[in-house]
Amino acid sequence: MQDLLTIGELSVRSGVAPSALRYYERLGLIRADRTGGNQRRYARAELRRVAFIRISQQVGVSLDEIRAALDSLPEARTPSPQDWARLSASWRSRLDERIRLLTRLRDDLDGCIGCGCLSLQRCTLNNPGDTLAGEGPGARLVLPRPVDDPTPAGSPA
Amino acid sequence: MQDLLTIGELSVRSGVAPSALRYYERLGLIRADRTGGNQRRYARAELRRVAFIRISQQVGVSLDEIRAALDSLPEARTPSPQDWARLSASWRSRLDERIRLLTRLRDDLDGCIGCGCLSLQRCTLNNPGDTLAGEGPGARLVLPRPVDDPTPAGSPA
DNA sequence: CCTTGAGTTGAAGTCCACTTCAACTTACAC
DNA sequence: GTGTAAGTTGAAGTGGACTTCAACTCAAGG
């Protein structure tokens, strides 16, 4: 066991496919030394970078933003625990926000289930720049903003 | 104000772009009558379908699954509040699960920030079939399962 | 009538995060 | 020295959820 990992080893240890690791490298998220025969050899510290990438993805951050965050790490030295803590902390509010939104959606869903209304207005939905923010595809709001459903109260759906 | 909406009206009221509404129709998620001149006219009930689609997307359900869910609605009659309640309830556990995972990630992140470890193993991360389930792109696990990082305790990252 | 904004279509394009492929080279255990 | 698993590359493909485009047609107010 040396201090350098092959791509296969890093893949197994990180749970990330080799093709994804190469992709990350192309995007500048991780780096590798090369052997005389041009094969990648990863320093152990890269494991932490990959860990950070995966965590960040869970939080809902794009690879591009992750790259920006990683770029803020000191280049001269191996990042310290404090460095990593700072980066992780920077996602904290986004994570909180996502949890808050989903929780609110759940509560609203419960309310809607109670009354069976599923009305766009009272639900968390269609609250642009709030619920629609930051979630994956399909959550882009193109039009200015939704308008209340003027169905006369009591009409049959 | 009649009981049929143009695509533009439905778009404004639902907050979904016309192109997306046409796309939903192609996928069989919503339907529209046509005027003599071949323009779409939506029954008011379609607003609820669109609402359901958006809510479901928030929960993290794919359009394909949403279509399957919508297909389970009675065709003969306008869906009742109970029908919608049943569909919404079917997402409930997924929503709960997502909230649970994100919350756990937050807690772990706090822990990791405390110690600065960011180690793959103790964090929620790389807990295949658990954390990695159901979340957007980048969360596919290809390799069997990650292996513990055997960095000797006390080695400098 | 005529203009103009809204709507129609199919095909192609976009974005993100990867994966797959083919053709070839290295590393290493025996 | 050799067999084979593992690695290399660039280019192209995938999937999901849409958007954009060009070339038209429709609907409705003046």
Side-chain angles (χ1 to χ4, degrees), chain A residues 131-152:
Chain A
T131 307
L132 296 180
E135 188 69 38
R140 292 170 213 120
L141 189 59
V142 171
L143 293 167
R145 70 143 70 204
V147 159
D148 235 42
D149 177 6
T151 304

Side-chain angles (χ1 to χ4, degrees), chain A residues 10-109:
Chain A
L10 182 57
S11 171
V12 167
R13 289 178 200 290
S14 66
V16 175
S19 60
L21 292 173
R22 295 194 192 97
Y23 177 65
Y24 291 166
E25 184 176 331
R26 276 223 314 282
L27 297 191
L29 293 164
I30 57 177
R31 60 168 300 283
D33 296 327
R34 296 299 180 119
T35 65
N38 197 37
Q39 296 198 354
R40 289 172 181 83
R41 287 299 181 271
Y42 297 93
R44 279 195 170 281
E46 295 304 299
L47 257 171
R48 259 171 187 63
R49 286 179 82 95
V50 177
F52 178 75
I53 293 167
R54 303 291 269 169
I55 289 173
S56 304
Q57 285 187 315
Q58 296 281 322
V59 180
V61 182
S62 71
L63 289 183
D64 209 57
E65 286 182 284
I66 297 171
R67 189 193 41 68
L70 286 171
D71 281 352
S72 79
L73 285 174
E75 278 192 63
R77 56 185 170 77
T78 299
S80 69
Q82 287 72 24
D83 289 325
W84 289 117
R86 176 174 53 78
L87 286 206
S88 301
S90 73
W91 298 155
R92 172 65 199 254
S93 65
R94 295 172 74 136
L95 190 47
D96 283 345
E97 180 64 4
R98 257 162 76 72
I99 292 171
R100 196 182 67 75
L101 289 171
L102 284 179
T103 304
R104 210 173 103 197
L105 176 57
R106 175 173 66 188
D107 295 345
D108 286 355
L109 210 49

Side-chain angles (χ1 to χ4, degrees), chain B residues 32-49:
Chain B
D33 296 327
R34 295 299 180 121
T35 64
N38 197 35
Q39 297 199 353
R40 289 172 181 81
R41 288 298 181 271
Y42 296 94
R44 285 201 159 276
E46 295 304 297
L47 257 171
R48 260 176 185 57
R49 287 179 83 96

